[in-house]
Amino acid sequence: MASEQAFLQAHRYQLDVDVRGDGPALLLAHGAGGGVEGNFGLVLDDLGRDHTTIGPSYPGVGRTPLPDAPLDLDALADAVVASAVDSGHERFAVIGESLGSAVAVRAAVRHPERVAALVLTAGFAVADPVLGGAAQLLATLGMAGEWRAVSRLALLSCLSERQLAAMSPEDVEVAVDGVLAAMPAGMLAHFELITRLDVRDDLGHVRVPTLVAVPTGDRLVLPDSPRRLAAGIPGATTVEIPGGGHILDEADRAVWLGHVRRFLVETAS
């Protein structure tokens, strides 16, 4: 244990961490270009009623500095785990969203004595052609300084067909403004990591209860990606969020929360 703690101290990014609630720990691994509030804000208060939620911000998000070098998945997984250990928790479930699912899988394989369960939403083991193409296009637009176009692509990719159908052109422009205002400095670095990461070989080494949530209306990470993720993890359970987009809205997040709460009760018993 001492050597592992020394490793975590020596090989991690310095992540800003949001800790809330009280009870068994839930470590939150957010997605690319987002953050803890953006991905989990709709359920933080509910989960915090009977759990401690630990939400580290990746490099380039909030007060976490962005390093000069490209992001490293091992270092990111170690840093996320270290954020929970530093908060006083020895063992915890990890809830990963999108990119955070790959971070969570790598954390479970590198730190099996720490990770007690996994919840993976809109996840992938390797970028499918749609996600890979979107990541490359975001990088091209960003390098050209077309940040409003980056925001528009991110928004339209993350919403489901149902969500888009409910929006007027004016609504879309307001939403693009919101994405642009909230876009973290590390967004392109996160998507660059997506183009390189591959945790397919990790999946068979996951030895903890795992719940995989599949938003069936996801147009950024196609639903077959989380299904393949689940198929590779021994004993994983799959649940679907019918029509859910890549970023779950309030109604879809409520469905997600019901599945997650049942899973947490089952794995704690």
Side-chain angles (χ1 to χ4, degrees), residues 154-228:
L155 173 74
L156 297 179
S157 298
C158 287
L159 297 181
S160 68
E161 182 178 352
R162 182 188 70 231
Q163 290 169 319
L164 286 170
M167 299 176 72
S168 68
E170 293 76 16
D171 293 334
V172 171
E173 295 308 312
V174 170
V176 170
D177 288 339
V179 173
L180 182 60
M183 188 184 301
M187 180 171 179
L188 295 186
H190 301 168
F191 277 94
E192 191 277 332
L193 175 59
I194 284 174
T195 66
R196 293 185 283 110
L197 71 80
D198 187 343
V199 298
R200 286 176 291 185
D201 289 344
D202 294 24
L203 302 182
H205 299 287
V206 174
R207 294 289 184 265
V208 296
T210 301
L211 177 69
V212 178
V214 183
T216 64
D218 195 338
R219 300 181 310 114
L220 180 61
V221 175
L222 298 182
D224 276 351
S225 281
R227 291 179 183 132
R228 286 192 292 268

Side-chain angles (χ1 to χ4, degrees), residues 28 46 53 67-68 84 98 103 111 115 151 163 171 199 206 224-225 229-232 237 239-240:
L28 309 178
D46 188 284
T53 61
D68 294 332
S98 190
V103 174
H111 303 284
V115 177
S151 303
Q163 290 169 319
D171 293 334
V199 298
V206 174
D224 276 351
S225 281
L229 187 70
T237 298
V239 295
E240 294 194 348

Side-chain angles (χ1 to χ4, degrees), residues 4-21:
E4 185 224 15
Q5 183 65 19
F7 176 84
L8 291 174
Q9 291 288 348
H11 296 84
R12 60 172 169 163
Y13 301 117
Q14 300 299 313
L15 305 184
D16 183 35
V17 183
D18 181 294
V19 180
R20 307 186 191 185

Side-chain angles (χ1 to χ4, degrees), residues 60-154:
V61 177
R63 293 180 294 180
T64 301
L66 186 64
D68 294 332
L71 297 181
D72 178 79
L73 183 62
D74 286 351
L76 184 56
D78 289 347
V80 166
V81 168
S83 71
V85 175
D86 287 350
S87 298
H89 297 274
E90 297 295 323
R91 193 161 167 82
F92 34 80
V94 184
I95 301 181
E97 194 101 351
S98 190
L99 169 60
S101 290
V103 174
V105 166
R106 182 58 55 86
V109 172
R110 287 175 67 82
H111 303 284
E113 69 289 348
R114 299 291 189 188
V115 177
L118 294 176
V119 176
L120 312 175
T121 303
F124 53 92
V126 67
D128 61 36
V130 170
L131 177 59
Q136 292 173 2
L137 182 54
L138 285 167
T140 299
L141 292 170
M143 288 186 290
E146 298 288 346
W147 294 107
R148 188 169 180 81
V150 169
S151 303
R152 186 180 302 279
L153 176 59

